[in-house]
Amino acid sequence: MAPMHDHPGEWAAAAPIRLLAIRDTPLSVDEVVRAVEDDAAGGTAFFVGTVRNHDGGQDVDALGYSCHPSAQVELRRVAEKVVADFPVRALAAVHRVGDLGVGDIAVVVAVSCPHRAEAFEACRRLIDDLKHEVPIWKHQRFSDGTEEWVGAC
């Protein structure tokens, strides 16, 4: 990617993908913050997705995430596309699988870029593409005893 200015910090970093993981343990926002720290970044954008207490007009009690064995490979592919399209200094994405309760963190993504506009755009692309292209599925359990599966891709 060509620099926007003459300083090397305006370029994408040589190894910007710092953290990619799919885990069955609680996620740490602090870990993601540390992973995307970069002295050449003027903007860092984050998204933290949590389990909400409702969906589609129904009360949600809990949910579970599961994934296909290829999910980690697909997560890397999504991250590499973001890095190719933006001057990313640092990128991190972690998604949880297993049973989660209301308020639990399900996903954390972050991107650091030389400027805030790039960071916002890259972070938005990262979470949107993760949700649409990485084979992670959500199994929601509602207060009335019903349940549904929601596909992420």
Side-chain angles (χ1 to χ4, degrees), residues 1 78-88 118 121-122 125 129:
M1 171 166 281
V78 164
E80 288 172 349
K81 284 189 341 187
V82 172
V83 166
D85 291 343
F86 296 93
V88 173
E118 299 157 341
E121 290 177 43
R125 169 88 64 77
D129 288 357

Side-chain angles (χ1 to χ4, degrees), residues 52-60 140 142-144 148:
R52 63 181 177 268
N53 67 358
H54 68 281
D55 188 40
Q58 292 184 281
D59 292 334
V60 173
Q140 298 188 114
F142 300 106
S143 296
D144 67 2
E148 78 173 339

